[in-house]
Amino acid sequence: MSADRPNWVEEFESKGYAVIEDFATAEECDEMKAEMYRVMNGLDITTEHKTVFSTGEDQQQLKDDYFLTSGDKIRYFFEKDALDEQGELKVEKDKSLNKVGHALHWHSDVFKRFSFSKKMKGVMKGFRLEDPAIIQSMYIFKNPRIGGAVCPHQDASFLWLDPLKLYGVWLAVDDATLDNGCLWFIPGSHQEGKLDGERRMLRVTKKVGDEERVTLKHVGISPTPDDALYTACPVKKGSLVLIHGMVMHKSESNLSEKPRNAYTLHVIEQKGTVWSSENWLQPTAELPFTAMNAN
């Protein structure tokens, strides 16, 4: 490995994912968790729109403006099992959320400082990106006994650009273990260079009466890879997991008594690429995709 390329690059190029241990300090992780609970405490459960987040076929967000317009805001998405049939919470507020997204990197000083830090920009140099931009950020809770599974998927199914230069950056705010829902990958699956089943989630416009309404739909076939192909990726608190946009990955439900909080970003190369107008996520006048080198 040449001196100008980090030691994780070879593993990432081969497997489609890599781990950088001790990327964040325990103090940084604790600060992010405290900041998220501060943000969450501002949630008025009696007035907030209760959108359940799922990666399965029954996604409420496919037809939900609350999700579609969340790219430049901080919004709250609940676990399916946290709500009763009337949409009321069955558990405490701090145990009810699936994730908070999608612009924490811009609207929270704590997450912004980490997202645009010198060491995060160093990761982008490892990817050899000339004009990297953060397109979205999320805090994922995976709470004890209620944090649901994330079905097999490739990030590019939801966030397409041509040529594909899409990277997930996933920070373990807690230890991620086999019991509490660590990530699982199919090593090398990114090398096929295509979407399994040509699966995409597309933004479409429908005519409803005299109005045009934007909604989402799935096309293609849901991937169902053989479980034997997966490799578990348990990591310690503070580890950074780098994820190629084409690598197949998933996570299981949290069956333990311990949380598996994570902070994640998606980053693209802006130079020489075209962002799909069919993606659910689109830059806005209020928040264009935020260039890392300019911050």
Side-chain angles (χ1 to χ4, degrees):
M1 185 64 59
S2 63
D4 64 335
R5 301 209 77 187
N7 57 15
W8 53 263
V9 171
E10 185 174 348
E11 180 182 15
F12 180 82
E13 292 178 344
S14 172
K15 294 183 177 180
Y17 68 98
V19 177
I20 304 176
E21 295 180 346
D22 300 317
F23 184 83
T25 65
E27 291 75 20
E28 285 177 308
C29 292
D30 293 344
E31 183 183 30
M32 280 185 254
K33 181 173 283 195
E35 170 67 0
M36 178 43 55
Y37 278 79
R38 183 195 68 78
V39 170
M40 185 179 60
N41 283 336
L43 168 62
D44 184 348
I45 206 68
T46 64
T47 60
E48 188 71 19
H49 187 86
K50 297 187 183 71
T51 292
V52 170
F53 184 80
S54 167
T55 55
E57 295 295 329
D58 57 342
Q59 294 180 36
Q60 176 187 347
Q61 65 266 20
L62 292 181
K63 54 184 181 295
D64 203 327
D65 285 343
Y66 184 82
F67 175 81
L68 269 167
T69 59
S70 65
D72 57 3
K73 301 174 181 67
I74 294 178
R75 285 190 168 166
Y76 307 85
F77 301 92
F78 293 85
E79 289 285 0
K80 180 179 179 181
D81 292 339
L83 304 174
D84 63 22
E85 293 179 356
Q86 288 72 45
E88 300 301 323
L89 286 183
K90 297 190 295 184
V91 296
E92 299 90 342
K93 183 173 70 172
D94 64 346
K95 303 290 194 300
S96 66
L97 290 170
N98 173 288
K99 70 175 185 177
V100 172
H102 288 91
L104 284 167
H105 64 282
W106 196 252
H107 294 302
S108 162
D109 289 342
V110 170
F111 290 105
K112 186 175 186 178
R113 183 166 61 249
F114 179 80
S115 302
F116 293 96
S117 63
K118 182 178 180 180
K119 60 185 175 182
M120 190 66 77
K121 292 176 182 178
V123 172
M124 299 306 114
K125 289 181 180 178
F127 288 138
R128 291 187 172 172
L129 304 186
E130 294 186 55
D131 186 17
I134 298 174
I135 59 171
Q136 69 170 359
S137 54
M138 298 172 284
Y139 192 93
I140 303 169
F141 290 87
K142 205 77 148 176
N143 279 312
R145 298 289 179 184
I146 200 168
V150 175
C151 67
H153 68 282
Q154 296 159 289
D155 290 344
S157 292
F158 307 94
L159 306 167
W160 184 262
L161 71 161
D162 185 26
L164 186 81
K165 294 184 179 181
L166 170 69
Y167 306 90
V169 180
W170 191 98
L171 178 75
V173 179
D174 296 308
D175 290 348
T177 69
L178 293 173
D179 294 327
N180 72 2
C182 69
L183 297 171
W184 292 71
F185 293 93
I186 298 181
S189 53
H190 67 301
Q191 294 179 357
E192 296 182 13
K194 63 181 181 179
L195 293 172
D196 190 299
E198 299 183 359
R199 188 66 165 165
R200 290 282 304 280
M201 187 171 79
L202 302 179
R203 170 185 288 258
V204 294
T205 302
K206 292 183 177 180
K207 192 86 170 179
V208 181
D210 294 331
E211 297 183 359
E212 288 189 341
R213 177 177 174 81
V214 177
T215 186
L216 297 170
K217 71 173 182 179
H218 280 301
V219 298
I221 302 170
S222 295
T224 55
D226 185 345
D227 284 344
L229 297 174
Y230 283 96
T231 297
C233 185
V235 293
K236 291 291 187 181
K237 173 179 178 178
S239 296
L240 195 71
V241 184
L242 308 176
I243 305 171
H244 191 283
M246 277 291 194
V247 73
M248 188 68 69
H249 59 291
K250 66 175 183 175
S251 66
E252 303 297 341
S253 299
N254 184 355
L255 302 179
S256 78
E257 299 297 335
K258 295 182 178 181
R260 195 228 64 184
N261 287 193
Y263 176 58
T264 184
L265 303 167
H266 281 102
V267 178
I268 62 169
E269 169 66 278
Q270 292 192 116
K271 185 175 181 179
T273 63
V274 178
W275 183 253
S276 173
S277 62
E278 295 181 311
N279 289 333
W280 80 266
L281 177 66
Q282 296 295 324
T284 66
E286 292 75 20
L287 184 61
F289 291 158
T290 46
M292 296 185 73
N293 294 337
N295 290 275

